[in-house]
Amino acid sequence: MTDIDPAEPTIDAPRQNRLSWIWLVPLLVVCVAGWVVYQSYVDRGVNVEIFFSQGKGIQAGKTLIRYKDVTVGTVESLRLSESLNGVVASALLDRRLEPYLGDTTDFWIVTANISGTTFRGLDTLLSGAYIEMDWSAEPTTKQRRFEGLLDPPLTPPSAAGSHFLLRSEDGKSLQVGSPVMYRGLQIGQVERRSLDESYQLIEYRLFIDAPYDGLINNGTRFYDISGVSLALTSEGLELELESLETLAIGGVTFFTPKISSTAELDSERVFTLFNNRNAAEESQFEGVGATHYFFSAEFTGGVEGLEAGAPIVWQGVRLGTVLEIELDLGSQPDTSRQIVVLDLQPGRVGREDVNQEEALADFALWIKQGMRAEIVTSNILTGSKRIQFVDRPDAPPAELDMDAVPYPRIPTIASEFGAVTQSVTQLSASLAELPYDELVRSAINLMNSVSALAGSADTRALPGSLNSAVASVEALVGEMQSTVARGEVALAGLTPESPLYVELLRTTRELQEAAQSVRELATLLEENPNALITGRR
């Protein structure tokens, strides 16, 4: 028997996929749920908490949060703080604001408010209060809890510009909201007014808009322009009024001296607020770094009206200030003298870099060329005086006295005002010495004689009646000529440009004309006594 191995049939089993398409359904459900959760998270926004010392119109679910007048959030709840010293508003903000929530972000409540001449938040009278937010820059520290302000800042944090700190001894004029003016244009405002750390000075925090903040450097001077400034100075009556706005709520302005126009601004610089422009200008030549050279001048006449602080002027430009006046009685009663200490500041004439040796050499040369110091009147109304340097090439030779005490001495000359006063006094004395009573009696006798002549038929007695009158007239002529001579002496001590010279010259000429007329009358009566009746022929 033959063994035959029959071929066993093989069956190929079909392949089966282990992952069925049915599993895609739950995966898709999970993805959709995640997307919904994400969208819900994004749509919900960012939760923040804002602390306020008062609620001031905030309502949960109603009070909006705005940025640049666009609603970006809503207050969801309002509760008292744990310490009960304020309220905490929980708010939900637009998720897009998350990168800007940090240490540079500010929140404040907006309600109807009037500050100075500015009206804010009037729309809240109908819509209710809302919370405004802003930031000055992208924050360096992220945070979700903030301390809000009850009142809106005068300048939004994002405004372009710079803050400056001023100090003053009093706070009577400026207030929060007072404008910062520059050449009649408002470029900023006062944001804050408070006491400094020592409680001795008033601090003002100013904000100046860009690009005007670039005008400020370390040499800038700020001064008050509040109200009306009325001052009676040695130069006369000064009246300053910036605008009606500054008259009502005050104001501040500034200038930058040319000598400090390139000085860089120190970030910690604290400026002084001066009372007026004159004080601000004078501050350039005071304090540390200002150049001062001291001289003295000796005056033997009176210095009434000259006080410490009076200006020293040369060719119309202020060169310095009278520092003090010392009286030296001397050994004899008639030897007293006044020593005036002069504080000269070369920076006033653009020579702040001159040293002491150069200053002494310059003055020594100028004095040899005829420069002298004199006292002149600054204001006739107040009687105030000042020191003036004048050029007198024909003056007697003099030199700068380097050995004088307390400082090198500048030679002086008698002031023109003193000479004028003496001449006027002599003229007044001469006029007072005239025999007015005798002249009046002579005139009366003359008139009586003329009346008797006119009523008498015997005119041959007329020459004898007029002899005494003619003699009196001649005496009057002599007195008038003497007065005229004294007037001419007074004129010699005056300059032709002075008003007193013009008035005195006019009076002298009138006296000369009157004397000439009286002389002609005397001559006429002496030659022709009948002229009073018949007239000149």
Side-chain angles (χ1 to χ4, degrees):
M1 174 175 199
T2 303
D3 293 335
I4 300 174
D5 294 332
E8 295 181 359
T10 59
I11 300 174
D12 295 330
R15 294 182 180 181
Q16 296 182 357
N17 295 324
R18 295 182 179 181
L19 182 62
S20 176
W21 62 270
I22 197 66
W23 292 104
L24 295 178
V25 175
L27 181 61
L28 181 60
V29 171
V30 171
C31 293
V32 171
W35 173 257
V36 171
V37 172
Y38 174 76
Q39 283 296 115
S40 176
Y41 173 78
V42 171
D43 293 340
R44 178 169 174 77
V46 182
N47 288 308
V48 297
E49 291 185 346
I50 311 169
F51 171 82
F52 294 101
S53 59
Q54 296 180 10
K56 202 175 182 180
I58 301 177
Q59 298 182 21
K62 293 184 178 181
T63 301
L64 303 178
I65 299 178
R66 297 179 180 178
Y67 171 67
K68 296 186 181 299
D69 289 333
V70 176
T71 300
V72 294
T74 307
V75 175
E76 293 188 326
S77 65
L78 189 67
R79 71 178 189 276
L80 289 173
S81 64
E82 295 181 359
S83 60
L84 303 181
N85 64 342
V87 298
V88 177
S90 297
L92 190 64
L93 300 179
D94 191 319
R95 178 65 60 179
R96 291 173 296 178
L97 299 179
E98 185 175 8
Y100 306 100
L101 297 176
D103 54 350
T104 62
T105 307
D106 290 328
F107 293 86
W108 61 86
I109 301 175
V110 178
T111 57
N113 182 40
I114 299 177
S115 176
T117 59
T118 303
F119 299 86
R120 298 175 182 269
L122 296 183
D123 56 330
T124 60
L125 294 174
L126 300 177
S127 62
Y130 63 89
I131 298 175
E132 182 81 14
M133 67 172 297
D134 199 355
W135 55 87
S136 57
E138 188 170 343
T140 56
T141 302
K142 305 293 184 179
Q143 63 185 52
R144 295 293 181 268
R145 293 185 178 182
F146 303 89
E147 184 170 350
L149 307 173
L150 290 181
D151 298 312
L154 296 180
T155 305
S158 59
S162 302
H163 290 90
F164 301 94
L165 191 63
L166 275 62
R167 285 179 181 167
S168 174
E169 294 183 355
D170 62 69
K172 297 179 181 179
S173 303
L174 297 182
Q175 55 183 308
V176 175
S178 295
V180 178
M181 309 294 293
Y182 182 70
R183 298 187 178 182
L185 176 67
Q186 180 174 350
I187 61 172
Q189 57 190 335
V190 178
E191 289 189 337
R192 187 186 66 197
R193 181 180 66 169
S194 61
L195 287 170
D196 69 342
E197 296 179 354
S198 66
Y199 301 104
Q200 301 298 320
L201 299 174
I202 304 296
E203 284 188 349
Y204 298 97
R205 188 170 183 260
L206 273 60
F207 181 83
I208 297 180
D209 301 326
Y212 307 107
D213 55 341
L215 298 172
I216 311 299
N217 61 32
N218 279 346
T220 300
R221 262 64 178 179
F222 290 86
Y223 62 94
D224 194 347
I225 54 173
S226 303
V228 179
S229 176
L230 182 63
L232 187 62
T233 66
S234 60
E235 302 298 330
L237 189 64
E238 295 182 355
L239 175 64
E240 293 183 1
L241 174 61
E242 183 71 17
S243 66
L244 294 179
E245 182 179 7
T246 58
L247 178 63
I249 63 174
V252 60
T253 188
F254 62 91
F255 71 92
T256 301
K258 294 182 178 180
I259 59 176
S260 61
S261 58
T262 59
E264 295 183 359
L265 179 63
D266 185 358
S267 60
E268 303 297 328
R269 177 79 160 90
V270 178
F271 296 91
T272 299
L273 177 63
F274 297 96
N275 292 330
N276 49 57
R277 184 179 180 91
N278 183 61
E281 290 177 343
E282 287 300 310
S283 68
Q284 304 176 61
F285 313 106
E286 300 174 357
V288 180
T291 303
H292 297 259
Y293 296 123
F294 300 98
F295 294 84
S296 63
E298 177 183 335
F299 296 93
T300 56
V303 293
E304 295 83 2
L306 183 67
E307 299 178 351
I312 302 173
V313 180
W314 188 17
Q315 296 181 356
V317 179
R318 182 165 183 171
L319 189 59
T321 305
V322 174
L323 186 63
E324 61 181 11
I325 301 173
E326 301 176 354
L327 177 62
D328 185 2
L329 296 178
S331 58
Q332 301 295 330
D334 296 335
T335 60
S336 63
R337 56 181 184 168
Q338 290 80 24
I339 307 299
V340 180
V341 179
L342 312 178
D343 179 7
L344 303 183
Q345 300 154 319
R348 293 180 179 273
V349 291
R351 300 195 60 189
E352 60 277 354
D353 56 344
V354 65
N355 57 43
Q356 186 172 6
E357 290 74 14
E358 292 174 342
L360 292 175
D362 288 341
F363 271 93
L365 176 61
W366 295 333
I367 290 172
K368 287 183 179 180
Q369 295 175 348
M371 188 185 78
R372 301 292 184 269
E374 68 173 353
I375 299 177
V376 297
T377 300
S378 297
N379 193 311
I380 298 178
L381 296 177
T382 62
S384 59
K385 298 181 181 179
R386 66 185 182 187
I387 300 295
Q388 178 171 290
F389 290 148
V390 295
D391 295 323
R392 296 288 186 267
D394 54 346
E399 294 183 353
L400 179 65
D401 187 358
M402 301 295 298
D403 299 328
V405 177
Y407 301 105
R409 186 152 302 165
I410 297 175
T412 63
I413 59 173
S415 65
E416 181 180 283
F417 184 82
V420 169
T421 302
Q422 183 178 3
S423 300
V424 171
T425 301
Q426 294 176 353
L427 178 60
S428 300
S430 300
L431 293 174
E433 293 175 356
L434 287 175
Y436 293 104
D437 294 340
E438 182 179 349
L439 294 176
V440 170
R441 286 195 298 269
S442 299
I444 293 174
N445 293 334
L446 176 61
M447 296 303 298
N448 290 336
S449 299
V450 171
S451 298
L453 177 62
S456 175
D458 190 2
T459 57
R460 285 181 292 182
L462 181 61
S465 301
L466 294 176
N467 285 337
S468 59
V470 172
S472 299
V473 171
E474 291 179 348
L476 175 61
V477 171
E479 293 293 341
M480 294 177 70
Q481 287 180 339
S482 176
T483 302
V484 169
R486 291 187 178 92
E488 291 177 348
V489 172
L491 285 172
L494 301 175
T495 58
E497 293 80 7
S498 63
L500 185 57
Y501 177 91
V502 176
E503 294 295 333
L504 192 56
L505 179 61
R506 184 184 297 111
T507 303
T508 304
R509 289 178 176 175
E510 290 177 355
L511 287 174
Q512 289 176 338
E513 293 175 357
Q516 182 64 26
S517 299
V518 173
R519 177 178 293 278
E520 292 177 356
L521 175 60
T523 302
L524 177 62
L525 292 178
E526 185 176 3
E527 296 178 352
N528 185 14
N530 296 328
L532 289 175
I533 300 176
T534 62
R536 185 189 297 268
R537 293 183 179 178

